[in-house]
Amino acid sequence: MQPLFNPPLHKQRHQFVVDFIKKYKTKKVMDLGCGECILLKQLKFHREIELLVGVDINGAKVKKKGYALAPLSTDYLQPGFEQLCVELYQGSVTEPDSRLRGFDLAVSIELIEHLVLPDVERFSEVLFGYMAPVHVIISTPNSEFNPLFPGLTGFRHPDHKFEWTRAQFQTWAQRVCVDFGYEVEITGVGLPPGGRQEQVGFCSQIAVFHHLKGELHVTPEERSQGETSYTLLHRIIYPSLKDNNVLRRVLLSEVLFWAEELKRRWRERQERGEREETEETWTKHTGECGEERPPKDQQRSAAGDEESNGNSASQRECVSVPLSLLWASSPRVGSLSGSLANLRLFLMEEPTVKLSQDGSALLLQTDEHEAYEGDLEDSGFADVELNQSVSPKSLENWEED
Ligand code: SAM
């Protein structure tokens, strides 16, 4: 049989939500009756969202499918400045929970028809009266469309407790508006074939509510100290450059990458016998990297003295990479550190790198035999590698569950 809709209807419902979020730039979004977390998985890529919450009565389903909400390795390697926290709860939407107050948007896709009518009343009170989000999107089947499904008798799903006509849905929506101070637009997705929209309406009818007073101000204390009837299954905090530790790790990786790249280019120029354009800043000297260095003209003899003192193990040929050159070469170093002065301060506090005495250049070893693996461990590159291969805490939890 030919599918009735292209794209499939569930995708059209989810796309409706995505388009709404793009338009209204909602930051705190909850999906009530999130089921297999399919919509949440799509929404986690919309970085305007800062808090994404899923609630379903079926905790086992959420646990089983929700693992896919864990950050990807790219989220660790290339975090942005956006912040995202995902929370998944087991609970019934007919019960209040203060942690779900003060949201910008609540979405409930194909849920209410699974509730008996007294529970629809409780759900309305909890959602519109207690949680009181700024916007609400509710979708439910339109029973007037059902005759167009070949061979369908009764409801579309055996668990449905009712399926409303357009008039019934509108009556419920308008009463909610009067009782709780919202306004509503009714629309839908899934057009009938043959231009019969006026006759039967959309396959899925959708009500979009807007709070007449706008945002409900809920303090973090009110959120955390009010009544809690849901069980928190997972909280996942995505890495963000707003976290200082993450910022330092990423900036260090970027600096070291570019320093090594510049050193490689410098070495190639040396081998070709090309004269350095910036010879005064690009210096190659002998001595332990980061230690006080003798003047350029004494380097040879200082090296010789140390050698004759049997101290050659501590000697390394170093190349100093000017921070200004690093800054100019990598826009990302610039955007991460903010200014050249910040970059210098950051590197001065970073124990794994060596700076020249005046702090204007990064010192890198030039030894041909330099132990890359060891350097990587010391440099922070290894941290990045570890972060890729060792499961972060949240992933461990997912695995356990
Ligand atoms: N919203 C999802 C979507 O768009 O794919 C799933 C819809 S599924 C048809 C209905 C979901 O509502 C199920 O996952 C079910 O477990 C959940 N549900 C039913 N009664 C509920 C209640 N009282 N509280 C929370 N979730 C409930």
Side-chain angles (χ1 to χ4, degrees), residues 30 32-33 53 55-57 89-101 111 115-116 118-132 226-231:
M30 56 174 149
L32 303 176
V53 167
V55 180
D56 202 283
I57 202 164
Y89 293 93
Q90 186 276 326
S92 172
V93 294
T94 56
E95 301 294 329
D97 191 304
S98 63
R99 291 167 294 187
L100 274 75
R101 299 189 78 202
L111 162 69
L115 305 176
V116 292
D119 278 349
V120 175
E121 290 305 300
R122 270 191 280 275
F123 169 61
S124 309
E125 281 164 27
V126 167
L127 174 58
F128 295 97
Y130 180 76
M131 296 173 180
E227 50 196 318
T228 54
S229 52
Y230 301 165
T231 305

Side-chain angles (χ1 to χ4, degrees), residues 10 13-14 31-36 38-39 55-58 61 91-94 108-111 113-115 159-160:
H10 73 277
R13 288 191 292 257
H14 292 174
D31 183 6
L32 303 176
C34 60
E36 299 187 344
I38 296 168
L39 177 59
V55 180
D56 202 283
I57 202 164
N58 187 339
K61 187 156 62 174
S92 172
V93 294
T94 56
S108 185
I109 303 294
E110 307 295 281
L111 162 69
E113 64 277 7
H114 292 266
L115 305 176
D159 189 52
H160 286 181

Side-chain angles (χ1 to χ4, degrees), residues 12 247 276 292:
Q12 292 191 37
L247 177 65
E276 280 302 318
E292 193 172 331

Side-chain angles (χ1 to χ4, degrees), residues 142 144 164-174 205:
N142 164 21
E144 291 169 79
W164 278 337
T165 61
R166 284 174 288 174
Q168 286 171 312
F169 187 45
Q170 193 159 10
T171 303
W172 168 79
Q174 279 168 349
Q205 42 188 348

Side-chain angles (χ1 to χ4, degrees), residues 116-339:
V116 292
L117 285 174
D119 278 349
V120 175
E121 290 305 300
R122 270 191 280 275
F123 169 61
S124 309
E125 281 164 27
V126 167
L127 174 58
F128 295 97
Y130 180 76
M131 296 173 180
V134 182
H135 310 283
V136 179
I137 298 177
I138 306 272
S139 89
T140 191
N142 164 21
S143 62
E144 291 169 79
F145 194 99
N146 286 358
L148 299 188
F149 285 111
L152 176 71
T153 51
F155 294 149
R156 294 183 196 175
H157 189 277
D159 189 52
H160 286 181
K161 307 298 186 293
F162 60 87
E163 284 175 3
W164 278 337
T165 61
R166 284 174 288 174
Q168 286 171 312
F169 187 45
Q170 193 159 10
T171 303
W172 168 79
Q174 279 168 349
R175 198 160 48 75
V176 161
C177 290
V178 172
D179 290 350
F180 304 107
Y182 280 80
E183 60 185 6
V184 69
E185 306 151 33
I186 298 201
T187 175
V189 292
L191 282 170
R196 298 172 66 189
Q197 194 190 343
E198 219 168 282
Q199 208 181 331
V200 296
F202 291 104
C203 185
S204 279
Q205 42 188 348
I206 298 179
V208 182
F209 298 85
H210 306 277
H211 204 299
L212 294 175
K213 288 197 187 138
E215 198 176 342
L216 174 77
H217 290 285
V218 180
T219 63
E221 290 73 38
E222 284 173 322
R223 264 199 98 205
S224 59
Q225 288 166 12
E227 50 196 318
T228 54
S229 52
Y230 301 165
T231 305
L232 180 65
L233 302 175
H234 293 297
R235 175 179 288 123
I236 309 147
I237 297 176
Y238 273 63
S240 163
L241 292 172
K242 284 194 180 146
D243 174 339
N244 209 29
N245 290 331
V246 175
L247 177 65
R248 294 184 74 85
R249 174 175 62 72
V250 173
L251 178 54
L252 182 63
S253 295
E254 193 70 16
V255 163
L256 291 173
F257 170 82
W258 274 99
E260 288 295 335
E261 173 63 13
L262 290 169
K263 186 180 86 175
R264 186 187 63 75
R265 292 180 195 173
W266 171 82
R267 196 185 264 156
E268 281 175 7
R269 286 195 298 274
Q270 293 272 305
E271 280 165 12
R272 288 198 298 267
E274 289 173 19
R275 197 175 170 279
E276 280 302 318
E277 282 170 22
T278 52
E279 208 163 359
E280 71 287 355
T281 50
W282 275 96
T283 55
K284 183 178 172 186
H285 60 89
T286 310
E288 196 177 345
C289 286
E291 293 293 300
E292 193 172 331
R293 291 168 301 160
K296 241 177 158 189
D297 55 351
Q298 292 174 26
Q299 279 174 16
R300 230 170 252 287
S301 62
D305 289 349
E306 282 188 35
E307 259 162 32
S308 63
N309 289 339
N311 200 18
S312 58
S314 68
Q315 288 181 8
R316 292 274 162 83
E317 267 205 330
C318 292
V319 59
S320 70
V321 182
L323 296 192
S324 55
L325 195 60
L326 261 175
W327 172 273
S329 306
S330 163
R332 192 156 155 79
V333 167
S335 67
L336 290 170
S337 57
S339 71

